[in-house]
Amino acid sequence: MAKKQYAVIGMGRFGSSVAYALSEMGFDVLAIDRDEHRIQDISNVVTHAVSADSTDEEALRALGIRNFDVVVVAIGEDIQASILTTLILKDMGIHSLIVKAKSELHGKVLSKIGADKVVYPERDMGMRVAHHLASPNILDYIELSEEYSILEMKASSNIIGQNLLQLNIRARYGCNVIAIRKGTEMNISPDASDEIQPEDVLIIVGHKDDLTKLELAYSR
């Protein structure tokens, strides 16, 4: 099976991080940006790096953008260019189009004009930092939808030594422990009798309101 090919448009902090990570995973990556300096910086990392204007349909066609399995539009400050690029790519028939949004309104526009997935890297990072500041044992927080999220919580002193049955997180908070990470090992089907050890990390899914209650209860 041929490996997927990705095109990433916009080599700012987010776009270059995506391009670098995909390249590290062994995928073919085309990096596109107007700024030649940014293209030079990423050129020895990705498969191809090209300086081009993504709002120029002919330039995109010349790059063979339609041949890529996934296109990521990671344009930063220029919202007009982000929207126009998205429109052009959808009109060209790109099947999987992921677009970075600066705000909720920007994201709504992108969804309406055909973006298959809208991501909010600044908002999501801000959310993760806020949760970690409020509860230092919260290692990560991932939004699944407007209502549900997943959090990674390091075992706090008030749960170490108890098993999942004793904690009864589902009944108390309406959340589910879907996995427990012990060092480099991941238990993806924890048993009710599994006892929480120091340094364990619980992966928990639930409604945002319920997760907030759980965070407050286990923040010590």
Side-chain angles (χ1 to χ4, degrees), residues 46-65:
V46 298
T47 316
H48 302 288
V50 179
S51 175
D53 180 358
S54 63
T55 64
D56 182 343
E57 183 174 348
E58 291 308 311
L60 292 179
R61 287 189 184 278
L63 291 172
I65 200 84

Side-chain angles (χ1 to χ4, degrees), residues 12-203:
R13 186 177 301 173
F14 174 68
S16 58
S17 295
V18 171
Y20 183 87
L22 288 169
S23 295
E24 285 287 291
M25 294 164 69
F27 294 110
D28 290 334
V29 179
L30 167 65
I32 303 170
D33 197 286
R34 293 183 190 179
D35 190 325
E36 290 187 8
H37 295 293
R38 286 181 171 177
I39 288 301
Q40 288 173 5
D41 290 340
I42 199 79
S43 60
N44 8 339
V45 175
V46 298
T47 316
H48 302 288
V50 179
S51 175
D53 180 358
S54 63
T55 64
D56 182 343
E57 183 174 348
E58 291 308 311
L60 292 179
R61 287 189 184 278
L63 291 172
I65 200 84
R66 291 181 63 187
N67 298 323
F68 287 81
D69 300 292
V70 181
V71 179
V72 180
V73 179
I75 296 171
E77 300 300 322
D78 193 340
I79 292 177
Q80 183 176 338
S82 164
I83 292 170
L84 185 53
T85 299
T86 302
L87 273 171
I88 290 170
L89 291 170
K90 287 313 290 186
D91 283 347
M92 291 174 66
I94 300 299
H95 296 298
S96 182
L97 183 58
I98 301 168
V99 190
K100 170 189 172 181
K102 290 287 292 180
S103 65
E104 294 289 340
L105 180 58
H106 183 199
K108 285 180 181 178
V109 172
L110 293 170
S111 295
K112 285 184 181 295
I113 63 175
D116 298 295
K117 182 174 178 60
V118 177
V119 295
Y120 301 84
E122 287 92 353
R123 183 198 68 181
D124 292 346
M125 182 53 68
M127 189 182 299
R128 291 177 182 183
V129 170
H131 279 275
H132 181 68
L133 290 173
S135 305
N137 58 318
I138 301 301
L139 303 179
D140 204 355
Y141 187 96
I142 302 169
E143 190 176 65
L144 297 176
S145 68
E146 290 185 2
E147 295 184 345
Y148 292 92
S149 297
I150 291 178
L151 63 79
E152 290 190 5
M153 183 181 77
K154 184 178 177 182
S156 55
S157 58
N158 56 352
I159 68 172
I160 291 171
Q162 298 186 63
N163 61 34
L164 294 180
L165 181 62
Q166 291 169 317
L167 290 174
N168 207 11
I169 287 174
R170 185 172 185 176
R172 289 179 181 175
Y173 303 102
C175 303
N176 289 312
V177 178
I178 57 174
I180 299 175
R181 190 169 73 240
K182 297 176 179 289
T184 58
E185 296 183 2
M186 181 75 80
N187 178 2
I188 59 171
S189 54
D191 191 83
S193 62
D194 286 347
E195 187 176 288
I196 307 302
Q197 303 295 327
E199 306 303 320
D200 280 0
V201 174
L202 281 66
I203 291 83

